[in-house]
Amino acid sequence: MTTDHISPAGAIKADSPAGKYLMDKGVGRVDFNSYGSRRGNHEIMIRGTFANIRLRNQLLDDVEGSYTRDFSNDAGSQSFIFDAAENYREAGTALVAIAGKEYGSGSSRDWAAKGTSLLGIKVVIAESFERIHRSNLIGMGVLPLQFPQGQTAASLGLDGTEEFDFTGIEELNSGNTPKTVHVVAKPTLHSAAGKSVVKFDAIVRIDTPGEADYFRNGGILQYVLRSLVA
């Protein structure tokens, strides 16, 4: 999962959430231009996050593009990632992203972390992280967690239909960075019949005291502003 998959890039499609937003604002298709040209507009960039046309969300079967299943309603139907995220925001539900190896590899795009945070994703659990993107996530207040050595979402039986509880990260408030946090993934009404609770200790990838300060404050911007006020 690269930053090319995560961060908006390339042309804006008319049937995408970003394209629909522009049309609602009276912008003609010929003037859409690219995500890169509109990277100062967070309304466009958040709608383009995870919008790569080759992205395959494993909550769906062989579907490419910016889609997921929206469990905020009883149907759990296919939806644009942005639209589902907005529904979860209205319901007050924070989100989790589950990924594989070298999450965030590729070019260091700041919007890959910004868009993730703006979608309401609070935690990313991956097998491993690309160094810069991991740090950028922390700077945006997103917690990077790593599966235990040798474990993956598949080996633990996670499929994305779960609700997650995380305990132990509160230790940051005492000035210590915990090595692990305890994760409990509970099946929901949308999970397969017979699915059981999954428990494991995830590795906390807050690797430096500075990163701990950023995350404790909710991100680097909050940290800087509070430092200036102090």
Side-chain angles (χ1 to χ4, degrees):
M1 186 75 169
T2 72
T3 51
D4 288 337
H5 294 110
I6 304 168
S7 181
I12 299 173
K13 296 179 64 177
D15 61 350
S16 69
K20 293 176 181 177
Y21 173 83
L22 288 171
M23 285 189 287
D24 287 344
K25 295 296 183 181
V27 179
R29 177 69 185 88
V30 69
D31 296 318
F32 277 12
N33 214 316
S34 65
Y35 287 106
S37 69
R38 294 184 178 274
R39 68 190 308 277
N41 185 336
H42 76 278
E43 295 287 4
I44 297 298
M45 300 304 279
I46 185 178
R47 286 167 170 79
T49 304
F50 295 108
N52 188 288
I53 61 173
R54 293 291 176 256
L55 183 66
R56 289 174 182 251
N57 190 323
Q58 293 186 9
L59 279 166
L60 299 168
D61 295 326
D62 201 29
V63 175
E64 291 186 329
S66 181
Y67 298 100
T68 188
R69 287 178 65 192
D70 186 354
F71 297 119
S72 67
N73 56 59
D74 291 337
S77 55
Q78 179 175 313
S79 168
F80 279 116
I81 288 174
F82 172 77
D83 293 337
E86 286 297 286
N87 289 337
Y88 284 120
R89 189 193 312 279
E90 291 179 6
T93 302
L95 303 178
V96 178
I98 303 172
K101 294 183 176 69
E102 292 298 317
Y103 181 80
S105 60
S107 58
S108 177
R109 294 182 178 172
D110 54 350
W111 267 107
K114 290 179 186 178
T116 296
S117 177
L118 288 172
L119 284 174
I121 295 172
K122 299 298 184 183
V123 179
V124 176
I125 315 175
E127 294 174 48
S128 62
F129 289 89
E130 192 280 330
R131 177 180 57 86
I132 297 176
H133 183 65
R134 178 199 60 79
S135 182
N136 286 346
L137 287 173
I138 294 169
M140 291 295 110
V142 179
L143 178 63
L145 297 179
Q146 198 161 301
F147 286 114
Q149 182 67 35
Q151 296 287 347
T152 67
S155 68
L156 290 167
L158 301 176
D159 61 13
T161 63
E162 303 87 359
E163 289 184 353
F164 289 82
D165 288 332
F166 303 90
T167 56
I169 196 63
E170 306 93 327
E171 191 176 333
L172 279 171
N173 293 328
S174 63
N176 300 314
T177 302
K179 293 183 178 179
T180 62
V181 297
H182 190 60
V183 183
V184 178
K186 299 173 290 187
T188 66
L189 293 174
H190 299 285
S191 299
K195 185 175 174 60
S196 59
V197 174
V198 177
K199 300 179 181 180
F200 61 97
D201 291 326
I203 302 166
V204 177
R205 290 303 314 276
I206 298 177
D207 294 352
T208 69
E211 289 176 349
D213 286 338
Y214 297 155
F215 186 79
R216 191 183 297 112
N217 281 275
I220 190 169
L221 179 60
Q222 295 91 325
Y223 171 78
V224 170
L225 290 175
R226 286 169 181 157
S227 297
L228 290 173
V229 171

